[in-house]
Amino acid sequence: MTILWVGLRVKGVGGLAWEPEVLRAGIVGEAVLEGEEAALGEGAFVIRPIGWVESALVDLAAAPKQGDEGAPEAWLVFEPEVSEGLRDLRVGMEVLVVTWLDRARRDVLAVHPRDDMTRPVTGVFSTRSADRPNPVGLHRVTILSIDGLRVRVQALEALDGTPIVDLKPVLGSIGER
């Protein structure tokens, strides 16, 4: 199975811009074949960013490991193509932000949890380590404000420029669903 990452993170005036290129998953800037159709094979799928994170966090080493460990407020900035999907978001809602941790290592299968060398090496699927074969981030946040395609959230530990893959509501009790 092949996972293709669509979108090129380009730093420019005014922040980040996405260029429509088919890229290898997790490798920003290296093209795969010519176009999406040429690159897709049997069992392949495409992950497209729907937006990106704007945050004061720029240094991975200095970032908190979880949102409730001192992460700042941040903006989720969405592409115009997904605006209809944002229409029912409300201030105060709890949502799960699904991100692609584009600066994570993808060749790691075991870690010392929380980078604490006194803890035993543990398989990544039993940890919240960003370093893993498919570095999908899952962040539970509360919406603080909404301004068009920009959604301000509390306590997001994702770095500035992190691609957003999806956004889902936090489910309440069975009767509230």
Side-chain angles (χ1 to χ4, degrees):
M1 180 174 291
T2 304
I3 301 171
L4 298 173
W5 181 251
V6 176
L8 174 61
R9 196 161 42 89
V10 178
K11 189 81 168 176
V13 177
L16 299 172
W18 295 96
E19 298 294 329
E21 295 278 340
V22 177
L23 307 172
R24 283 190 207 152
I27 301 175
V28 175
E30 187 174 335
V32 176
L33 301 177
E34 295 204 51
E36 211 171 299
E37 294 78 22
L40 290 175
E42 186 177 332
F45 61 96
V46 175
I47 298 174
R48 288 182 176 86
I50 60 170
W52 64 92
V53 172
E54 281 186 1
S55 172
L57 296 174
V58 295
D59 179 16
L60 182 60
K65 297 204 178 294
Q66 298 297 320
D68 63 357
E69 297 175 352
E73 294 178 2
W75 284 99
L76 309 178
V77 182
F78 293 94
E79 296 290 348
E81 295 80 21
V82 300
S83 63
E84 181 70 12
L86 303 173
R87 72 181 192 171
D88 296 309
L89 295 179
R90 300 286 179 258
V91 171
M93 276 182 78
E94 282 191 303
V95 294
L96 297 171
V97 182
V98 182
T99 60
W100 187 262
L101 303 173
D102 57 333
R103 284 153 263 197
R105 289 187 45 205
R106 300 197 58 205
D107 60 343
V108 175
L109 292 173
V111 296
H112 289 279
R114 304 183 61 79
D115 296 322
D116 180 350
M117 297 305 169
T118 65
R119 295 174 79 174
V121 173
T122 305
V124 294
F125 303 131
S126 297
T127 75
R128 293 295 303 256
S129 173
D131 297 326
R132 57 198 323 111
N134 290 308
V136 174
L138 185 62
H139 318 270
R140 185 175 180 157
V141 298
T142 301
I143 296 175
L144 301 175
S145 65
I146 301 170
D147 182 15
L149 296 173
R150 297 169 54 83
V151 177
R152 190 153 183 88
V153 298
Q154 72 165 25
L156 180 61
E157 76 279 14
L159 297 177
D160 186 56
T162 298
I164 300 169
V165 174
D166 203 355
L167 189 69
K168 296 181 179 285
V170 172
L171 297 178
S173 65
I174 292 174
E176 296 174 1
R177 296 179 196 169

